[in-house]
Amino acid sequence: MTKVSMAHGAGGRSMQRLLRERVLPHLLTDKGEVPLSALDDSGVIDDIVMTTDSHTVKPLFFPGGDIGSLSVAGTVNDISVMGATPIALSLAMVIEEGMEADDLEKIARSIGRTANKAGVPIITGDTKVVERGAVDKLILNTSAFGKRSPALDANLAIVAKHRTIHSRWLEDRNVADGDVIIVSGTLGDHGVAILSARKGYGFDADVVSDIAPLNGMIVRALAVGGIAAMKDPTRGGLANTLNEFSEKSKVGIEIEEEKIPIRQAVRSACNLLGIDPLEIGNEGKAVMAVVPGKADDVLAALRATPEGREAAIIGKAMKSVRGVVMRTRVGGRRIVEAPIADPVPRIC
Amino acid sequence: MTKVSMAHGAGGRSMQRLLRERVLPHLLTDKGEVPLSALDDSGVIDDIVMTTDSHTVKPLFFPGGDIGSLSVAGTVNDISVMGATPIALSLAMVIEEGMEADDLEKIARSIGRTANKAGVPIITGDTKVVERGAVDKLILNTSAFGKRSPALDANLAIVAKHRTIHSRWLEDRNVADGDVIIVSGTLGDHGVAILSARKGYGFDADVVSDIAPLNGMIVRALAVGGIAAMKDPTRGGLANTLNEFSEKSKVGIEIEEEKIPIRQAVRSACNLLGIDPLEIGNEGKAVMAVVPGKADDVLAALRATPEGREAAIIGKAMKSVRGVVMRTRVGGRRIVEAPIADPVPRIC
């Protein structure tokens, strides 16, 4: 009999196969404007956007954040990248018996601080305590719903000047030939911060997680207009995000290695560990596909925000390309595949 | 330092204290029409009702259901008992490495069947796989949002003929002197079904879980009108539900033991194990407080539904009573307290 393996949880191809073969066929996957079968950041029905995330990060505390800030920011971002305004969060905690109440309180404080920063209240919750060994200290689930962002219609109207659009939301399937690919900042910080907090890795990178709620930054970018698709490159990193764009939109994407913003400390840590920085998760970044005429303005709007200071144009969608390809520093071309398994498990 | 104990997860007083002292002070608890601080079944903001539940039931499969049907029904019910129509569900799975894919598929089938029965689609999801030992096989989180039920305004208008009402939803704090307490069927079935599925209990009760989505039944009851408050008696059972009504509404409740529907097999199992059937959880029942003139009609409407066939009037709210009191079969009076700890842990 098949058993679920760690690779099935990595957000890449193995997981997609497990879901498509064993889980999705039994669910009502075609309901809603953005249904479950889209496997997008959020679902949409009745003009309400909804998302959910369970967090099992290890360790619970790490440079730049903890499981609490991670949960809230990740969930706020999943709503925001659809082009919606997050309205409320839920918080469900599964706590291992014996957890220090002080640690729980520290995490609660971080949850509150992040929710406050995002301006999104937690309006409902659930608490379970399980016997020792039944979970690894703490699992959090945050879910959220959001409503259509006031700027979204005007934003999409600009996209519609260039081509026919098939969705009222910033879905992964909206990317088209010529769209400019923008990342809102440096890549790999979160994954490396988690690794540096784990014992036994023999390096002490000066890297902190990029955890941040991005709803404020995204509103500014939407106000400029011309954004066709947006996604936060969490599990599977930029490599996974661009492959989702490419597969769902049926268009190739070419990026340039030298334009991708990566901190030197992240690059060094990845070299040391043999990890591809494009494949590790981020928790405070967005990747956008923008119509060519608006790319510079969107970039400028992003750079004017604290979260988007290091935003960069890294490439474009091209129908002449198959899949996702990177032009390397030395002038070669490398195929960027969606990671099959997670180079760094349990980073979120 | 204080450590979290199993008692903190039981849905009773210990849990409330942990949340009120360590968690809630750090969150924005006053946002929304029914805010987090209400600790009701769901929260309400912008006329949207939201709820969340993480499920850690052990074992995963038991007579009458499994973790999948349990999750979906429980979440649908939390939305419905507020007086809302559930619109969509999210599903987040945390899977232990090594879980049989066949078991996962069986659970997915059960999730789909229950969602289909309730008529509520799953529109978004999340999957994490953790290493062996980091969770006990599988934890599911289901969250949901709902919209105001079309029958709710007319229902509350009938309540408003009798008194001033302070809420637009069926909140726990709406119970008033004279309200009739109705349960929609037999109590204790779920908790005893879980126990009978666990090894080593030395009894083989002929009891199946009552898991059922109640949105259909509740719509029928709302159409009659006069329902002031409603709650599903899950963790902590009827005892906890009535104490929540009593405390939040600042009114006493008197119930009659002989009127409380409990199956003989459940009663026997509870006697054998020294468990109070009023303190164990149910997953397909609702408890309602109804204005006196409408109680018989609501009861009749409930009994006309498959889920409410064994509905019964069990008592009433009385300002002359303090807390929750039960008139026993032998003519005595017993105080019914909210359980401090869970007599049967991990039943949901």
Side-chain angles (χ1 to χ4, degrees):
Chain A
M1 284 206 287
T2 316
K3 289 177 191 292
V4 177
S5 73
M6 290 301 286
H8 287 127
R13 289 184 196 282
S14 302
M15 191 172 97
Q16 292 233 353
R17 197 174 318 121
L18 177 76
L19 293 177
R20 293 203 188 276
E21 289 176 7
R22 299 298 198 124
V23 176
L24 296 176
H26 306 296
L27 307 181
L28 307 161
T29 57
D30 61 339
K31 302 287 179 187
E33 192 178 343
V34 180
L36 182 60
S37 59
L39 294 181
D40 215 311
D41 304 283
S42 300
V44 183
I45 195 167
D46 275 16
D47 240 34
I48 301 285
V49 180
M50 187 186 196
T51 199
T52 189
D53 286 292
S54 286
H55 293 274
T56 64
V57 62
K58 188 179 178 178
L60 297 179
F61 300 94
F62 48 82
D66 57 50
I67 190 172
S69 54
L70 176 69
S71 300
V72 172
T75 300
V76 163
N77 293 345
D78 277 345
I79 295 286
S80 306
V81 296
M82 297 297 286
T85 305
I87 304 292
L89 290 155
S90 64
L91 171 68
M93 307 187 289
V94 180
I95 308 169
E96 185 184 22
E97 177 190 20
M99 184 183 181
E100 300 291 349
D102 285 351
D103 282 346
L104 183 66
E105 185 164 10
K106 195 172 159 191
I107 290 163
R109 204 175 285 127
S110 167
I111 290 169
R113 203 183 299 122
T114 314
N116 201 25
K117 190 174 172 190
V120 186
I122 292 150
I123 62 160
T124 190
D126 179 55
T127 306
K128 299 274 156 63
V129 180
V130 296
E131 63 271 28
R132 228 173 271 263
V135 298
D136 192 359
K137 291 198 184 90
L138 179 68
I139 294 180
L140 293 186
N141 177 283
T142 39
S143 299
F145 76 87
K147 294 186 172 180
R148 202 164 173 78
S149 174
L152 186 56
D153 288 321
N155 168 79
L156 288 174
I158 294 172
V159 180
K161 281 185 204 163
H162 292 71
R163 59 178 185 262
T164 310
I165 49 171
H166 303 283
S167 169
R168 295 169 63 241
W169 304 90
L170 304 182
E171 289 186 67
D172 297 343
R173 65 188 171 101
N174 290 357
V175 186
D177 184 45
D179 281 354
V180 175
I181 306 296
I182 298 178
V183 296
S184 67
T186 58
L187 296 179
D189 303 74
H190 177 69
V192 170
I194 295 288
L195 280 177
S196 79
R198 286 189 192 154
K199 286 185 175 65
Y201 268 100
F203 73 97
D204 184 38
D206 184 23
V207 175
V208 297
S209 169
D210 59 343
I211 290 176
L214 297 175
N215 48 336
M217 180 191 81
I218 290 170
V219 165
R220 301 297 189 88
L222 281 176
V224 174
I227 301 168
M230 198 185 308
K231 198 169 185 68
D232 53 336
T234 54
R235 267 184 304 173
L238 181 71
N240 193 60
T241 295
L242 295 181
N243 274 282
E244 297 247 351
F245 276 175
S246 172
E247 281 169 32
K248 293 179 185 171
S249 298
K250 298 182 176 53
V251 67
I253 292 174
E254 188 179 83
I255 56 174
E256 292 179 56
E257 187 174 22
E258 65 177 4
K259 292 190 175 167
I260 301 171
I262 299 172
R263 282 185 216 295
Q264 190 49 52
V266 170
R267 203 183 292 280
S268 304
C270 285
N271 279 340
L272 194 70
L273 297 165
I275 291 172
D276 183 347
L278 303 192
E279 293 192 358
I280 54 178
N282 310 278
E283 292 293 341
K285 298 293 151 39
V287 182
M288 305 177 190
V290 185
V291 294
K294 281 291 184 178
D296 289 336
D297 293 346
V298 168
L299 185 68
L302 289 171
R303 286 187 171 167
T305 67
E307 298 83 8
R309 277 192 317 272
E310 296 169 283
I313 290 173
I314 61 165
K316 60 182 173 178
M318 297 169 72
K319 65 181 172 191
S320 58
V321 166
R322 262 181 76 93
V324 181
V325 170
M326 181 164 74
R327 293 222 312 260
T328 64
R329 273 196 172 68
V330 294
R333 286 167 63 87
R334 197 193 105 192
I335 294 170
V336 178
E337 286 188 284
I340 289 164
D342 208 330
V344 191
R346 293 188 68 185
I347 64 165
C348 64
Chain B
M1 283 205 288
T2 316
K3 289 177 191 291
V4 177
S5 73
M6 290 301 286
H8 288 126
R13 288 184 198 281
S14 303
M15 190 172 97
Q16 292 234 353
R17 197 175 317 122
L18 178 75
L19 293 177
R20 292 204 188 276
E21 288 175 8
R22 298 298 198 123
V23 176
L24 297 177
H26 306 295
L27 307 180
L28 307 161
T29 56
D30 61 338
K31 302 285 179 188
E33 193 178 343
V34 181
L36 182 59
S37 59
L39 294 182
D40 214 312
D41 303 284
S42 300
V44 182
I45 194 168
D46 274 15
D47 240 35
I48 301 285
V49 180
M50 186 186 198
T51 198
T52 189
D53 285 293
S54 285
H55 292 275
T56 63
V57 62
K58 187 178 178 179
L60 297 178
F61 301 93
F62 47 83
D66 56 50
I67 189 172
S69 55
L70 175 69
S71 299
V72 172
T75 300
V76 163
N77 294 345
D78 277 344
I79 295 286
S80 306
V81 296
M82 296 297 287
T85 306
I87 304 291
L89 289 155
S90 65
L91 171 68
M93 308 187 288
V94 180
I95 308 169
E96 185 184 22
E97 177 189 20
M99 183 183 181
E100 299 292 349
D102 285 352
D103 282 347
L104 183 66
E105 185 163 10
K106 196 172 160 191
I107 290 163
R109 205 175 283 126
S110 167
I111 289 169
R113 204 183 298 121
T114 313
N116 201 25
K117 191 174 172 190
V120 185
I122 292 151
I123 62 160
T124 190
D126 178 55
T127 306
K128 298 274 156 65
V129 179
V130 296
E131 63 269 30
R132 227 174 272 265
V135 298
D136 192 358
K137 289 197 184 92
L138 180 67
I139 294 180
L140 293 186
N141 177 283
T142 39
S143 300
F145 77 88
K147 294 186 173 180
R148 205 164 171 77
S149 175
L152 185 55
D153 288 322
N155 167 79
L156 288 174
I158 294 172
V159 180
K161 280 185 205 163
H162 292 71
R163 61 179 184 260
T164 310
I165 49 171
H166 302 284
S167 170
R168 297 170 61 241
W169 304 90
L170 305 182
E171 290 185 66
D172 297 344
R173 66 188 171 104
N174 291 356
V175 186
D177 184 46
D179 281 354
V180 175
I181 305 296
I182 298 179
V183 296
S184 68
T186 57
L187 296 178
D189 301 74
H190 177 69
V192 170
I194 295 287
L195 280 177
S196 79
R198 287 189 192 154
K199 285 184 175 65
Y201 268 100
F203 73 96
D204 184 40
D206 184 23
V207 176
V208 297
S209 169
D210 60 344
I211 289 176
L214 298 175
N215 48 336
M217 179 191 82
I218 289 170
V219 164
R220 301 298 190 87
L222 280 177
V224 173
I227 301 168
M230 197 185 310
K231 198 168 185 67
D232 53 336
T234 55
R235 268 185 302 174
L238 181 71
N240 193 59
T241 294
L242 294 182
N243 274 283
E244 297 247 351
F245 277 174
S246 172
E247 281 169 31
K248 293 179 185 171
S249 299
K250 298 183 174 52
V251 67
I253 293 173
E254 189 178 85
I255 56 174
E256 292 180 55
E257 186 174 23
E258 66 177 4
K259 292 190 174 167
I260 301 171
I262 299 173
R263 283 186 214 295
Q264 191 49 52
V266 170
R267 203 183 292 281
S268 305
C270 285
N271 280 340
L272 194 69
L273 297 165
I275 291 172
D276 183 347
L278 302 192
E279 294 191 356
I280 55 178
N282 310 278
E283 293 292 342
K285 297 293 152 38
V287 182
M288 304 177 192
V290 185
V291 294
K294 282 292 185 177
D296 288 337
D297 292 346
V298 168
L299 184 69
L302 289 171
R303 286 187 171 167
T305 68
E307 299 82 8
R309 276 192 318 272
E310 296 170 283
I313 290 173
I314 62 165
K316 61 182 172 179
M318 297 169 72
K319 63 181 171 189
S320 58
V321 166
R322 263 180 76 94
V324 181
V325 169
M326 181 164 73
R327 294 222 313 260
T328 64
R329 273 196 172 70
V330 294
R333 286 167 63 87
R334 198 193 105 191
I335 293 170
V336 178
E337 286 188 285
I340 289 164
D342 207 329
V344 192
R346 294 189 68 185
I347 65 165
C348 66

